[in-house]
Amino acid sequence: RVVTMRTVYSGSLSYSFSRTSKVMIALFDEDNHMKKVYVNNETQRDGEYTYNYQIDSDEMDNKKHYLRMFRDGKLEEEISIIPHD
């Protein structure tokens, strides 16, 4: 019998705007390939926001990954996620 261990990486990404903006939050691997989109160009009004994430190790293929938040097409925030054995 083979037992596969999975890890879930979780946390939050907080950000705020002073004007309405289009937001994209996506997961990228260390080779800068987009792996998954969580928020796809959603229009968000001015205010404070928190995006809570949970990323399963199955999505990360043992490489360093980045959760990135783009506002109006420009990178605003980045969180590094480093898998461990």
Side-chain angles (χ1 to χ4, degrees):
R1 185 175 120 156
V2 175
V3 176
T4 303
M5 298 295 291
R6 289 180 19 205
T7 303
V8 176
Y9 301 90
S10 62
S12 61
L13 175 66
S14 298
Y15 53 95
S16 62
F17 302 131
S18 58
R19 61 179 169 77
T20 299
S21 301
K22 288 210 177 252
V23 173
M24 183 177 82
I25 298 175
L27 182 68
F28 290 79
D29 67 15
E30 66 187 11
D31 299 320
N32 207 32
H33 297 121
M34 188 184 301
K35 302 286 282 189
K36 188 170 185 178
V37 176
Y38 298 99
V39 178
N40 191 9
N41 289 320
E42 180 180 298
T43 300
Q44 296 183 349
R45 296 177 188 225
D46 60 320
E48 295 184 12
Y49 294 86
T50 299
Y51 178 76
N52 296 309
Y53 64 88
Q54 289 189 335
I55 301 169
D56 194 294
S57 58
D58 291 345
E59 298 177 62
M60 296 182 52
D61 54 1
N62 245 5
K63 295 181 178 179
K64 184 176 183 178
H65 281 65
Y66 304 92
L67 186 68
R68 295 177 176 157
M69 187 276 286
F70 297 84
R71 181 178 79 170
D72 297 328
K74 296 180 181 174
L75 180 63
E76 293 281 323
E77 299 286 338
E78 179 178 87
I79 296 174
S80 296
I81 303 169
I82 303 169
H84 50 54
D85 297 327

